[in-house]
Amino acid sequence: MQFFKLLAASAFALGALAASDPFEKYTITAEGINATFIPYGARLTNLLVKDKNGDYQDVVLGYDEGSRYRQDDLTNHTYFGPIVGRYANRIKNGTFTIDGVTSHIPNNEHGGLNPLHGGTVGYDQRNWTVVSHTTDSVTFSFLDKAYEGFPGSVMTYATFTVEACKWTASVVSIALDKPTPIMLANHVYWNLGAFVSGPDSTILNHTLYMPYSKRMIGIDGIEVPTGEILTTADTPFDFTTPKQVGADILNAKACGTGCVGYDNAFIIDRPRYSAPEDSSLSVLQLSSPETGITLDLKTNQQSLQIYSCVGQNGTLPVKASQEHGGDKKTFVNKYGCMVIETQQWIDGINNPQWGQDQYQIYYPGSQPAVMWAEYTFGTTS
């Protein structure tokens, strides 16, 4: 633990000296993969991998100009590609209690009923410090000084690396002075088809496989957990065998009031003799028939929030690297993308019966919170 304290101390000094453009692009490359990030939100802006024809395709959504992300946060607030936190997803009533002390987080969603991704100004809107940058790795740091009502300060380091056809995210957070919940997540919007079919592109023909997700967290009309744990068998939410995303999507009506699609937390129930945070297992596979691009995900987290872009409405344009429509511009339509958030059980801090405290509440001197995810890309004919 002393190592992490020294690391945090060095970041204090580094942060005082660092002054960089929050929208400056940092690119890392390896065989078959090219990833670009900006310090604003420690955000992934581009991820290029090869398709079945050997051509590079950009498989994540975002903007060409870095400053557009700030504009988006002030309008649509889409959360394209950043780290979200200090507590990802939703917290019931924006409150939680740790050791008898109750905290209140700004309710920035559903007209002030609940917080989403850490409150009004979450980690996605913070300017992170660039700690290091090499040809195949970039590390960002951020010191959260008890922002948005969360107790105590937290130091976070996010390291992104690439190797042959693989992207790895390792996010380490250290509680410095008070007990606090910590649950960070990558918030990347995916379309493995890379919009090659033009203006009508969606992810409905993507094949999704989550072999260990036989359960999901029940939610109410504003997508806050009710405490109920549901089974996915014989429902539109069963992806324990490979299935096209669109196969049952019109019958998927458990993602909030009026929602048709997926915006749900799927629990990862690893096999009997695996540890709860075993990162050696493939917990999700996704593929596109158009490009042949496949994604294989491993993580140490215990749930996956899957969002099928129900809220997209054709008003946001794709990046220039994804424009394949000729004279007709391509926009992101409903079901035009998928967010895959690797995280612990959402609102576990308000549901002690789930036994999630050890994975979500951290103390000064305790082990750090670690969110690790590995994305491996390939192709299929």
Side-chain angles (χ1 to χ4, degrees), residues 149-320:
F150 285 96
S153 297
V154 170
M155 189 75 222
T156 296
Y157 298 88
T159 298
F160 303 113
T161 59
V162 289
E163 54 185 290
C165 302
K166 184 182 298 182
W167 169 47
T168 302
S170 180
V171 184
V172 180
S173 301
I174 308 160
L176 298 179
D177 46 31
K178 290 183 180 180
T180 181
I182 301 174
M183 189 173 80
L184 307 189
N186 292 318
H187 202 277
V188 179
Y189 284 72
W190 301 92
N191 184 316
L192 299 186
F195 299 94
V196 296
S197 61
D200 297 325
S201 294
T202 71
I203 47 89
L204 295 178
N205 63 356
H206 282 38
T207 297
L208 176 63
Y209 177 40
M210 296 187 289
Y212 305 115
S213 293
K214 297 179 180 180
R215 299 188 298 163
M216 57 188 282
I217 295 174
I219 55 175
D220 62 17
I222 58 171
E223 301 180 74
V224 171
T226 61
E228 186 179 10
I229 302 299
L230 309 174
T231 58
T232 61
D234 300 318
T235 76
F237 302 89
D238 187 1
F239 288 92
T240 55
T241 57
K243 181 176 70 174
Q244 283 198 340
V245 174
D248 299 313
I249 200 167
L250 296 181
N251 294 316
K253 300 178 181 179
C255 53
T257 301
C259 174
V260 178
Y262 300 106
D263 194 3
N264 304 91
F266 292 81
I267 294 169
I268 302 171
D269 287 314
R270 290 171 169 87
R272 178 179 178 184
Y273 294 109
S274 296
E277 295 182 297
D278 186 349
S279 59
S280 67
L281 303 170
S282 172
V283 298
L284 179 146
Q285 296 174 17
L286 186 69
S287 63
S288 163
E290 295 159 326
T291 60
I293 294 173
T294 62
L295 182 158
D296 187 287
L297 172 63
K298 296 179 180 178
T299 183
N300 68 336
Q301 300 295 281
Q302 298 181 66
S303 80
L304 299 167
Q305 181 81 17
I306 303 297
Y307 172 58
S308 62
C309 291
V310 178
Q312 301 308 311
N313 58 11
T315 59
L316 295 178
V318 301
K319 291 175 289 186

Side-chain angles (χ1 to χ4, degrees), residues 3-227:
F3 167 75
F4 289 108
K5 289 183 177 179
L6 291 172
L7 197 60
S10 68
F12 274 96
L14 180 63
L17 297 172
S20 61
D21 178 359
F23 306 120
E24 182 177 353
K25 295 184 177 183
Y26 294 82
T27 297
I28 56 179
T29 61
E31 180 185 349
I33 190 167
N34 181 308
T36 301
F37 302 82
I38 59 174
Y40 183 65
R43 188 182 306 259
L44 177 68
T45 63
N46 302 82
L47 185 64
L48 280 74
V49 295
K50 288 185 177 181
D51 65 13
K52 60 187 177 183
N53 298 316
D55 298 322
Y56 278 98
Q57 302 293 345
D58 193 348
V59 294
V60 302
L61 275 65
Y63 296 107
D64 290 310
E65 297 297 327
S67 59
R68 286 289 307 277
Y69 291 100
R70 181 58 183 159
Q71 180 183 347
D72 181 286
D73 287 342
L74 297 174
T75 53
N76 301 300
H77 207 170
T78 316
Y79 299 95
F80 276 147
I83 290 177
V84 293
R86 171 184 313 190
Y87 195 90
N89 222 298
R90 297 168 177 89
I91 301 172
K92 186 174 183 177
N93 298 323
T95 65
F96 56 85
T97 301
I98 300 176
D99 295 346
V101 178
T102 299
S103 298
H104 301 271
I105 312 305
N107 292 326
N108 61 312
E109 190 188 37
H110 295 121
L113 295 179
N114 64 274
L116 176 65
H117 297 322
T120 306
V121 183
Y123 283 20
D124 63 297
Q125 296 182 71
R126 303 291 180 175
N127 296 334
W128 293 54
T129 296
V130 181
V131 176
S132 67
H133 178 221
T134 67
T135 57
D136 61 2
S137 178
V138 62
T139 297
F140 299 97
S141 70
F142 173 63
L143 175 61
D144 176 354
K145 301 179 181 179
Y147 297 137
E148 298 298 297
F150 285 96
S153 297
V154 170
M155 189 75 222
T156 296
Y157 298 88
T159 298
F160 303 113
T161 59
V162 289
E163 54 185 290
C165 302
K166 184 182 298 182
W167 169 47
T168 302
S170 180
V171 184
V172 180
S173 301
I174 308 160
L176 298 179
D177 46 31
K178 290 183 180 180
T180 181
I182 301 174
M183 189 173 80
L184 307 189
N186 292 318
H187 202 277
V188 179
Y189 284 72
W190 301 92
N191 184 316
L192 299 186
F195 299 94
V196 296
S197 61
D200 297 325
S201 294
T202 71
I203 47 89
L204 295 178
N205 63 356
H206 282 38
T207 297
L208 176 63
Y209 177 40
M210 296 187 289
Y212 305 115
S213 293
K214 297 179 180 180
R215 299 188 298 163
M216 57 188 282
I217 295 174
I219 55 175
D220 62 17
I222 58 171
E223 301 180 74
V224 171
T226 61

Side-chain angles (χ1 to χ4, degrees), residues 363-380:
Y363 290 77
S366 73
Q367 292 186 346
V370 178
M371 193 288 293
W372 181 90
E374 179 185 86
Y375 306 81
T376 302
F377 300 91
T379 57
T380 183

